Amino acid sequence: MIIYGSVVSPFVRKLLAYLGEKRIDFELKGVGIGDPDPGFRAASPLGKMPAMDDDGFLLADSSAIIQYVEAKYPEPALIPADPQQRGRVIWWEEFGDTVFAACSGKMFFNRIVAPKFLGREGDLAAAAQAEDEELPKLLAYLESAIPASGFLVGERLTLADLAVASPLMNFRHCGACIDSATHPKIAAWSEAILSRPSMATWIAKEERLMARVLAA
């Protein structure tokens, strides 16, 4: 299995961690935004990451790839069979992808991607608005929603934890770290999830990359 994407993408990060938790072997082929790599463009005609080539079966979008992999490799299950828990996992993935990552994206793209990767000025006002107005509400909601179990759904790790924890790295790159005094449950939960081997291995590579980028 080949995965196309960049380790700084929250969607790629989520997928890599998911595959790690599933113990599935894969090769990550690094690509950037709109990369012309022919294998990547064949798997993702719109140039969106991540994309996958699984022995010739091509698919793009992290959620689509995860649904495919979960059906093909059902154990260990990271999307519960129980209807209520399954619904909650799907909700949290949606929150992670379209709400939390969207907020982090406004900050990360405008402060880092645009100037450092694309060579143009970002919209710093939009980034500031996301940090000052959107992020506090999202963190307040997440802080109130983390159960005593330490996992977002049920008593064990699910896709929900990976999907919601992943964008936190992009906030961190922008200097918006979790204050353990203000959000103690998020701080403890995110530390536990991001330090799992499935996440930590890629985060270490990502942090080395970001150090070089920010120093340039």
Side-chain angles (χ1 to χ4, degrees):
M1 180 184 292
I2 299 173
I3 300 297
Y4 297 93
S6 168
V7 291
V8 301
S9 162
F11 311 109
V12 174
R13 192 183 301 116
K14 173 188 71 170
L15 176 59
L16 299 183
Y18 169 84
L19 293 173
E21 295 289 342
K22 297 288 280 189
R23 305 183 190 93
I24 294 172
D25 292 331
F26 64 92
E27 172 192 353
L28 175 64
K29 188 165 185 180
V31 295
I33 298 173
D35 198 294
D37 180 281
F40 171 53
R41 297 313 292 254
S44 181
L46 299 181
K48 303 293 185 180
M49 65 176 76
M52 177 197 71
D53 182 341
D54 186 26
D55 290 330
F57 177 68
L58 307 179
L59 192 62
D61 182 82
S62 62
S63 296
I65 294 169
I66 285 170
Q67 290 294 328
Y68 163 77
V69 172
E70 190 76 9
K72 187 174 181 179
Y73 304 100
E75 298 295 334
L78 294 181
I79 302 176
D82 174 81
Q84 293 185 0
Q85 290 194 359
R86 188 182 187 89
R88 293 299 293 173
V89 167
I90 292 171
W91 150 248
W92 278 118
E93 185 186 20
E94 184 72 8
F95 172 85
D97 284 2
T98 64
V99 181
F100 215 30
C103 180
S104 74
K106 293 174 187 176
M107 296 164 59
F108 187 70
F109 180 86
N110 289 304
R111 292 177 179 171
I112 296 176
V113 175
K116 295 293 185 178
F117 289 91
L118 302 180
R120 61 181 176 84
E121 185 177 349
D123 186 342
L124 298 182
Q129 183 179 35
E131 182 172 9
D132 296 340
E133 299 180 16
E134 296 179 29
L135 182 56
K137 297 175 184 177
L138 299 180
L139 292 178
Y141 167 66
L142 181 57
E143 179 72 16
S144 71
I146 296 175
S149 69
F151 298 104
L152 288 176
V153 178
E155 302 292 322
R156 63 181 182 85
L157 181 86
T158 66
L159 172 62
D161 299 294
L162 305 178
V164 179
S166 180
L168 286 171
M169 285 305 303
N170 295 79
F171 287 120
R172 185 182 297 179
H173 293 319
C174 295
C177 298
I178 300 300
D179 182 348
S180 60
T182 306
H183 301 104
K185 291 198 292 184
I186 298 177
W189 163 81
S190 62
E191 175 62 25
I193 302 303
L194 295 174
S195 64
R196 294 178 70 89
S198 65
M199 279 275 196
T201 299
W202 297 107
I203 287 173
K205 294 181 180 181
E206 173 183 353
E207 288 178 330
R208 290 193 295 269
L209 170 63
M210 289 305 301
R212 294 194 301 269
V213 168
L214 295 176

